[in-house]
Amino acid sequence: MNISVEKLLRKIEEELTLAKNSPRPENLREKVYSIKILCELILDEKQRSKEAPQNPVPAFQPVTVQPSFVQPVTLNQPKKIEMEDEANGDSLFDF
């Protein structure tokens, strides 16, 4: 959302008028702080326009993911466990 500098300056003038007519110090401080923020917005916008690249980079850049292959971990078992209950294989699910 781009807000023109003219609009910001008008808002600063409004806040300044309110600050001048403020009866309480708290209100004066609030209005002065608002003016400060509006001034910073103008300065930031001017700075951005100077630093803006000629060819802006799109916000979304697709990323290609390379599949990674993981080798299965091998366990070194010195000796196969012998079962006496007539099991058919090494798995718990072999019957």
Side-chain angles (χ1 to χ4, degrees), residues 71-88:
Q71 293 182 343
V73 177
T74 58
L75 299 176
N76 295 330
Q77 292 185 349
K79 183 179 174 183
K80 185 176 177 181
I81 301 173
E82 294 182 17
M83 309 280 285
E84 294 181 15
D85 60 355
E86 300 177 10
N88 292 332

Side-chain angles (χ1 to χ4, degrees), residues 59-78:
F60 174 76
Q61 294 180 349
V63 177
T64 57
V65 177
Q66 297 289 335
S68 61
F69 297 100
V70 178
Q71 293 182 343
V73 177
T74 58
L75 299 176
N76 295 330
Q77 292 185 349

Side-chain angles (χ1 to χ4, degrees), residues 26-71:
E26 297 86 19
N27 291 349
L28 173 67
R29 185 174 177 85
E30 179 182 312
K31 297 303 173 189
V32 170
Y33 188 75
S34 297
I35 293 169
K36 176 186 176 219
I37 297 296
L38 292 167
C39 291
E40 288 174 353
L41 284 173
I42 293 172
L43 293 173
D44 287 346
E45 184 63 31
K46 295 288 184 180
Q47 186 68 21
R48 277 194 208 126
S49 64
K50 288 180 183 178
E51 295 176 355
Q54 297 297 328
N55 296 323
V57 178
F60 174 76
Q61 294 180 349
V63 177
T64 57
V65 177
Q66 297 289 335
S68 61
F69 297 100
V70 178
Q71 293 182 343

